[in-house]
Amino acid sequence: QPDGALVEQLFDTRGDPHERQDRARHEPETLARLATEAERYLETRPDWGESPKREISELELNHLRALGYAIP
């Protein structure tokens, strides 16, 4: 969305593998249940703990920029 608004969509990947028919309006309970489940999942910490920290050299930063990453 250009204005940054959140758009939630729901698709039946078995019956509509190309995701052409948004089911969100027809199945609001399912959408709400899955949204709650996703939020709960995102609040948990992964089993492997925190990601290791690593210093990145200026050359590596430039390589990432060349690949299209938005690096300050």
Side-chain angles (χ1 to χ4, degrees):
Q1 289 286 356
D3 62 0
L6 177 66
V7 175
E8 293 181 324
Q9 296 176 311
L10 180 65
F11 296 99
D12 174 9
T13 56
R14 288 190 189 136
D16 179 20
H18 298 289
E19 298 182 349
R20 293 188 175 132
Q21 305 232 351
D22 183 5
R23 304 287 311 152
R25 189 170 24 141
H26 304 288
E27 299 181 44
E29 300 86 13
T30 302
L31 181 66
R33 180 179 55 79
L34 291 172
T36 299
E37 191 174 320
E39 285 297 322
R40 188 176 17 241
Y41 173 79
L42 292 172
E43 290 172 358
T44 62
R45 295 177 59 106
D47 293 338
W48 58 85
E50 293 293 319
S51 299
K53 304 294 183 224
R54 174 178 169 317
E55 290 293 321
I56 300 177
S57 72
E58 193 61 34
L59 178 61
E60 291 170 309
L61 287 172
N62 287 335
H63 285 158
L64 291 169
R65 288 182 187 110
L67 290 169
Y69 288 92
I71 308 284

